Amino acid sequence: MNLNLTTKKIDTDIEIILVKNKKIKADEKILKSLNFKGKDEEAVLVLESKRIYVGCETYDADNIRIAIATAIKKFNSTNFKSLSIKAKDNLSAIIDGFELGNYTFTKYKSEKDEDQKQDKNIYIEVEVIDKKVQKEFENAVSICESVNMVRDFVNTTPEDFYPNTMANEAIRIAKENNLECKILDEDYLEENGMGAMLAVGRASRHKSKLIHLAYKPKKAKKKIVLVGKGLTYDSGGLSLKPSEFMVSMKSDKSGGCAVLGVMNTISALDLPIEVHGIVGAVENMIGGDAYKPDDVLTARNGKTIEVRNTDAEGRLVLADCLCYAQDEINDIDYIFDFATLTGACVVGVGHYTNGIMGNNHKLNYKVVHNALKSGELATTLPFNRYLKKTIKSEIADICNVSNTRYGGAITAGMFLDNFIKDENKKKWVHIDIAGPAYVESSWGYNPYGASGAGVRLAIEFIKNI
Ligand code: BES
Ligand code: ZN
Ligand code: ZN
């Protein structure tokens, strides 16, 4: 699919017509006979007038994204080659709809639809193409390409995508975008007392990697650090997951992949913000060398952790990665972590919404606001002193699981708080993306599987710093 901006009306095979508010203004008879009502996610092809009509009940950005995604799918089911649509003040939402709605994951299919898609031309008609419009176009395309890259990473199987693969992708991203890049191995983790992260990866045949990318523009005004959980597979470890919960755990690297996605776009956006991307790439497996419930681990900041469940591994990896970030980077303005951290977050807020946590209410709400603006769903989950007591340990500084079955998303967030330095307490936000990162059915303009959650949220926040 090739997206083009144009100011001229181009005679294409098909034109998309958004039907707002169910108001049908042309082709009434045909549309009636096709039983087209103009509802959201409803599209019909009218050959007589060479149009795809698609319902778009209101013109808010998310409805437009979904309408365009519905239309491009309809178009892809035909052999027509060119398509056009008129844009008003909704250019980036239209681009999101095309780019994100057109995504399919065919790596493991013997018959691929890629070739057929490649020679399709799409023209978005705008009034003028000035610098601002051109930039809006380029930025939206670049962000969507990164979201789709993240979807590809997350959808790739654990046999084909393990910590070293993730490190190699980071190196490629750094080269292509002129970023600083450090890949640290298990010797480094050992030497720096990162015993929590190290323990999680011990039973895997794949060595753990700590990835650190940095974008450092000359006139940076602020500094943000993004930390991602990169569990390339989470079997649960010795606290083994039941088989029905283990399927889809290739998606446990979504937080780390989202961080890589942001780093893949950040330099193109040309913002005066220093951005660091840190990923703990680890595989949680079983074996004679596996870490165990009852182990006590020591994290990089010296805190001891009683392990009572090896399936609560993401917080162990993040604990050390958060310590690393705060030791290595000074004068941080914001530190965010992205993780498919808890099933409890999915239970609490459903599959489509990110859980936003931290010690700074105002900042939490800012993140929610930016998430919604970017097209991601998010809500805050507030910490409280009572739940905090449930992760105390009798034998170590802290326990990796709570003693209550309720409030698991929040207790996981409060566990991480133990690894945030005092000076950064109000600068830190924890983003649990367990719900939206991977859904086993399509939703809106998101396909079955990985959605690329976190990327647009983070970029929108950084743009508005
Ligand atoms: N990766 C999982 C969380 C998860 C579950 C993500 C479902 C996406 C969908 C995490 O490592 C985990 O297993 N968490 C446990 C924590 C529990 C042992 C305290 C959970 O949520 O059950
Ligand atoms: Zn787990
Ligand atoms: Zn996990």
Side-chain angles (χ1 to χ4, degrees):
M1 181 186 74
N2 310 304
L3 271 189
N4 308 281
L5 271 185
T6 172
T7 49
K8 289 190 218 85
K9 170 127 193 71
I10 294 187
D11 187 27
T12 52
D13 296 339
I14 302 288
E15 185 186 3
I16 296 179
I17 308 287
L18 294 181
V19 175
K20 191 182 173 186
N21 223 351
K22 300 192 196 152
K23 281 198 184 112
I24 296 165
K25 291 178 180 158
D27 291 323
E28 286 105 330
K29 254 196 182 159
I30 303 173
L31 289 172
K32 198 160 184 210
S33 66
L34 291 170
N35 198 23
F36 177 79
K37 301 257 167 40
K39 286 189 282 190
D40 281 342
E41 299 185 50
E42 191 189 2
V44 285
L45 171 65
V46 177
L47 282 174
E48 291 83 342
S49 56
K50 302 202 298 179
R51 286 169 173 166
I52 288 174
Y53 285 92
V54 59
C56 186
E57 292 178 33
T58 60
Y59 267 21
D60 60 276
D62 229 35
N63 255 3
I64 288 176
R65 292 185 188 104
I66 291 172
I68 298 294
T70 309
I72 185 73
K73 277 178 205 136
K74 184 61 111 191
F75 180 66
N76 281 339
S77 71
T78 73
N79 280 324
F80 292 113
K81 296 288 175 223
S82 62
L83 180 68
S84 59
I85 181 165
K86 272 201 197 85
K88 286 186 186 132
D89 51 356
N90 46 19
L91 179 61
S92 47
I94 289 178
I95 294 163
D96 288 353
F98 280 125
E99 291 284 353
L100 301 178
N102 193 46
Y103 175 86
T104 47
F105 182 69
T106 53
K107 189 177 164 85
Y108 301 108
K109 293 277 191 194
S110 53
E111 269 178 48
K112 306 191 195 294
D113 55 5
E114 298 305 313
D115 299 344
Q116 195 243 349
K117 264 190 191 174
Q118 250 162 28
D119 55 357
K120 299 216 177 203
N121 275 307
I122 294 169
Y123 298 91
I124 306 175
E125 245 179 271
V126 289
E127 304 248 306
V128 279
I129 304 179
D130 54 14
K131 261 197 178 150
K132 193 172 153 256
V133 172
Q134 187 63 30
K135 191 81 194 145
E136 183 181 352
F137 176 81
E138 282 166 15
N139 286 357
V141 170
S142 162
I143 294 166
C144 290
E145 280 172 357
S146 285
V147 172
N148 287 337
M149 178 192 80
V150 171
R151 288 169 166 184
D152 277 342
F153 286 177
V154 174
N155 286 326
T156 300
T157 64
E159 266 309 284
D160 291 339
F161 200 104
Y162 42 88
N164 200 41
T165 325
M166 210 163 179
N168 286 335
E169 290 294 348
I171 293 168
R172 176 186 62 78
I173 289 167
K175 269 200 195 125
E176 286 174 9
N177 295 281
N178 251 320
L179 310 174
E180 289 180 17
C181 176
K182 254 191 259 178
I183 308 294
L184 301 165
D185 59 15
E186 292 188 348
D187 290 339
Y188 175 91
L189 303 180
E190 190 97 51
E191 281 156 23
N192 289 276
M194 298 171 77
M197 175 166 167
L198 207 46
V200 175
R202 220 166 57 201
S204 170
R205 70 194 160 102
H206 299 296
K207 299 269 179 246
S208 301
K209 303 280 174 193
L210 177 64
I211 298 163
H212 182 173
L213 298 178
Y215 169 64
K216 294 181 177 169
K218 285 224 171 63
K219 286 180 193 143
K221 294 197 175 78
K222 295 276 178 190
K223 204 184 281 185
I224 183 167
V225 182
L226 310 173
V227 179
K229 169 177 173 181
L231 262 289
T232 58
Y233 201 68
D234 180 13
S235 69
L238 288 179
S239 314
L240 197 64
K241 284 183 185 293
S243 47
E244 65 271 31
F245 290 110
M246 205 185 293
V247 262
S248 82
M249 276 303 134
K250 63 175 181 182
S251 69
D252 215 20
K253 56 185 177 302
S254 296
C257 291
V259 169
L260 294 184
V262 176
M263 299 313 288
N264 189 50
T265 286
I266 198 68
S267 63
L269 301 182
D270 202 19
L271 301 166
I273 312 280
E274 181 170 321
V275 185
H276 291 258
I278 291 163
V279 179
V282 184
E283 188 183 55
N284 186 20
M285 296 298 284
I286 56 170
D289 195 28
Y291 83 122
K292 309 170 211 39
D294 283 347
D295 278 346
V296 173
L297 311 173
T298 307
R300 180 171 169 133
N301 67 350
K303 284 209 181 174
T304 57
I305 307 164
E306 179 191 358
V307 176
R308 292 186 72 88
N309 190 319
T310 61
D311 197 12
E313 83 302 332
R315 62 196 76 183
L316 301 173
V317 173
L318 283 178
D320 272 333
C321 289
L322 287 166
C323 292
Y324 166 87
Q326 297 168 96
D327 286 348
E328 291 296 311
I329 306 159
N330 40 35
D331 303 320
I332 294 171
D333 291 296
Y334 300 99
I335 176 162
F336 290 4
D337 73 75
F338 295 84
T340 47
L341 205 59
T342 64
C345 195
V346 193
V347 173
V349 302
H351 246 311
Y352 312 107
T353 304
N354 295 293
I356 311 295
M357 286 157 261
N359 301 302
N360 182 341
H361 287 294
K362 243 179 137 173
L363 182 56
N364 291 346
Y365 285 116
K366 230 184 217 172
V367 171
V368 170
H369 177 77
N370 282 294
L372 298 177
K373 227 172 120 186
S374 77
E376 293 196 39
L377 298 177
T379 188
T380 60
L381 298 171
F383 290 167
N384 68 65
R385 69 180 78 205
Y386 310 108
L387 281 174
K388 190 172 175 173
K389 290 184 183 159
T390 71
I391 46 171
K392 282 190 174 161
S393 165
E394 293 290 336
I395 64 156
D397 297 338
I398 186 103
C399 184
N400 84 325
V401 287
S402 150
N403 63 22
T404 158
R405 18 188 315 222
Y406 303 112
I410 294 175
T411 48
M414 285 193 304
F415 174 91
L416 296 178
D417 182 46
N418 283 277
F419 304 91
I420 303 296
K421 292 184 180 180
D422 285 342
E423 68 260 34
N424 294 324
K425 289 283 186 206
K426 300 256 171 194
K427 301 174 178 176
W428 166 64
V429 179
H430 161 56
I431 300 153
D432 195 331
I433 62 171
Y438 195 90
V439 184
E440 286 187 289
S441 56
S442 60
W443 49 295
Y445 46 84
N446 290 295
Y448 172 100
S451 70
V455 177
R456 288 180 299 149
L457 175 162
I459 289 171
E460 190 64 35
F461 183 91
I462 296 170
K463 274 202 306 204
N464 292 311
I465 285 178

